Amino acid sequence: MAGSQFLSYLAVAILLSSRASHAQQSCGKIPTSGRIINGEDAEPGEWPWQVSFTSDGDHFCGGSLINENWVLSAAHCFPGGNNNYTVILGRHRLDGMGVNEAARGVEKIVNHPYYDRNTFDNDISLVRLSMPVQMNNYISTICLASKDSVIHPGTYTWVTGWGTTSNGTAADVLQEVRVPIVGQRECECSYPGLTMNMICAGFREGGKDSCQGDSGGPQVFNDRSENAMVQVGVVSFGQGCALPGFPGVYTSVQRYEWWIRNVTGSSPPSFVNVTTPGNFSDGFFVCPTDRPMTTEYLYTHYPPHFTTDDDSIFGTGANIIHFSYFSHFTSFFALFVSLYVLVGHS
Ligand code: 4AZ
């Protein structure tokens, strides 16, 4: 009798504690309502963790609210450390002041100590707000992918921001776009300097992407098993925007669990262990050598003209990858001609 009583107490205790932990997990709430290049307008409150960094009233980068005091963003957004930045939360449009907006100053900016502005390795930053924010339907936190998360190639993720759209100007209404994760090996074909701290997303044919002004903003995965949105990446860089063969590159959030816990201290954000469905790895991926050699590619994408090179964070280096493909093409052509001459003469 005593044993079964104990067991039922235990069951009740387990039930209560699991309820408590579910109640605590308030991050990444999926709202009931329902350029970015070739994205769509978001609904107000659809991405309540999205923030806008402004300087003298102008939006310059995105970020994501991870608890009442801290915003996650990209280190390359803050090259000069702390300035007179304003963080706008609950924002839907860049034009005019929205009724659900709240603004905060910046108490401090903590760029990752190993951020490398040449390679963009460790392009991650934590920004402490001047005052905590009150959560509501338009302002709430995103969950973060924990260190043991496994995110397979092909997994669909959402990226949001007010960056450059396909018409070449900044968005007014917050944009959202859905892009699949690209395997590490495949992405290295496009970006030979890619590190383990980076994760790529985009379509092989291009067309949908994040772009300038989206930097620092969140790349999130809809984790149906947790019924929560979990941030897996931070918008970091790319060769142009939405070009075929050049996915967007994101800072891999899971690599920074310990750093984030360390900086945020006594009030850490919520980490969620995500494992996405998909194939095991892209370990056997072989870089395509034919892709840029098609005349169609050369005519439509060489040199890249989607965005101006001045806007590209790669600056004047923007054409290097294309150029090396082009020189491959010419050397293959030369080889072909010499073989033809040799064989033709024997
Ligand atoms: C940028 O300049 C930038 N296509 C951000 C993301 C991407 C490209 C450029 C990804 O901030």
Side-chain angles (χ1 to χ4, degrees):
M1 196 65 194
S4 71
Q5 211 165 26
F6 173 73
L7 276 182
S8 53
Y9 275 131
L10 195 70
V12 168
I14 288 171
L15 209 77
L16 285 177
S17 72
S18 75
R19 278 200 180 174
S21 76
H22 271 274
Q24 261 171 5
Q25 203 234 55
S26 56
C27 63
K29 246 184 287 183
I30 300 167
T32 42
S33 82
R35 199 162 297 206
I36 300 285
I37 307 290
N38 285 323
E40 293 168 35
D41 285 1
E43 299 287 323
E46 197 179 353
W47 312 98
W49 42 83
Q50 174 82 46
V51 313
S52 159
F53 279 94
T54 63
S55 178
D56 293 327
D58 292 328
H59 166 88
F60 67 92
C61 264
S64 54
L65 189 67
I66 58 169
N67 68 26
E68 59 174 10
N69 286 305
W70 289 92
V71 166
L72 187 65
S73 188
H76 86 260
C77 288
F78 313 106
N82 207 342
N83 282 52
N84 268 336
Y85 301 137
T86 301
V87 181
I88 302 179
L89 306 109
R91 193 172 206 186
H92 182 56
R93 304 178 56 165
L94 292 188
D95 287 354
M97 168 89 190
V99 287
N100 302 310
E101 288 179 18
R104 290 290 182 274
V106 167
E107 188 183 296
K108 64 172 168 179
I109 297 173
V110 185
N111 278 1
H112 194 281
Y114 297 140
Y115 163 59
D116 183 332
R117 59 198 174 94
N118 297 308
T119 62
F120 277 69
D121 200 17
N122 305 300
D123 189 12
I124 194 163
S125 185
L126 282 164
V127 179
R128 191 180 165 93
L129 304 175
S130 56
M131 278 198 318
V133 287
Q134 192 76 46
M135 307 299 160
N136 58 41
N137 285 342
Y138 300 91
I139 301 174
S140 60
T141 58
I142 183 72
C143 313
L144 300 179
S146 72
K147 63 176 184 13
D148 296 321
S149 295
V150 180
I151 299 150
H152 287 111
T155 303
Y156 277 97
T157 59
W158 288 95
V159 185
T160 47
W162 288 275
T164 306
T165 62
S166 47
N167 67 23
T169 60
D172 175 25
V173 171
L174 180 64
Q175 298 291 297
E176 59 185 40
V177 73
R178 200 174 76 120
V179 280
I181 297 287
V182 172
Q184 211 70 0
R185 297 284 178 94
E186 178 169 357
C187 196
E188 271 179 30
C189 303
S190 315
Y191 304 103
L194 202 77
T195 72
M196 288 295 289
N197 302 314
M198 303 170 184
I199 183 170
C200 306
F203 295 92
R204 285 190 184 142
E205 67 274 23
K208 293 186 176 200
D209 201 1
S210 50
C211 201
Q212 203 195 21
D214 294 319
S215 286
Q219 175 197 29
V220 303
F221 168 68
N222 184 348
D223 190 340
R224 285 167 213 280
S225 67
E226 297 277 342
N227 193 30
M229 292 283 196
V230 184
Q231 182 170 357
V232 298
V234 176
V235 179
S236 182
F237 72 96
Q239 159 69 67
C241 304
L243 293 175
F246 292 98
V249 186
Y250 299 80
T251 312
S252 176
V253 167
Q254 68 179 99
R255 305 276 296 175
Y256 298 94
E257 175 170 353
W258 293 124
W259 179 70
I260 293 168
R261 285 189 185 279
N262 205 297
V263 174
T264 55
S266 56
S267 56
S270 302
F271 286 91
V272 169
N273 201 339
V274 301
T275 299
T276 74
N279 44 328
F280 181 63
S281 80
D282 72 330
F284 298 110
F285 191 85
V286 177
C287 295
T289 51
D290 59 323
R291 184 225 314 141
M293 288 183 218
T294 63
T295 46
E296 198 224 349
Y297 183 90
L298 288 174
Y299 284 131
T300 55
H301 298 293
Y302 182 80
H305 50 74
F306 198 86
T307 52
T308 67
D309 285 342
D310 300 310
D311 286 349
S312 159
I313 50 168
F314 272 3
T316 50
N319 283 333
I320 286 170
I321 293 170
H322 287 261
F323 183 77
S324 65
Y325 277 126
F326 187 69
S327 50
H328 275 145
F329 172 72
T330 45
S331 48
F332 273 120
F333 186 71
L335 190 71
F336 184 79
V337 168
S338 16
L339 277 175
Y340 182 80
V341 169
L342 276 175
V343 173
H345 274 262
S346 61

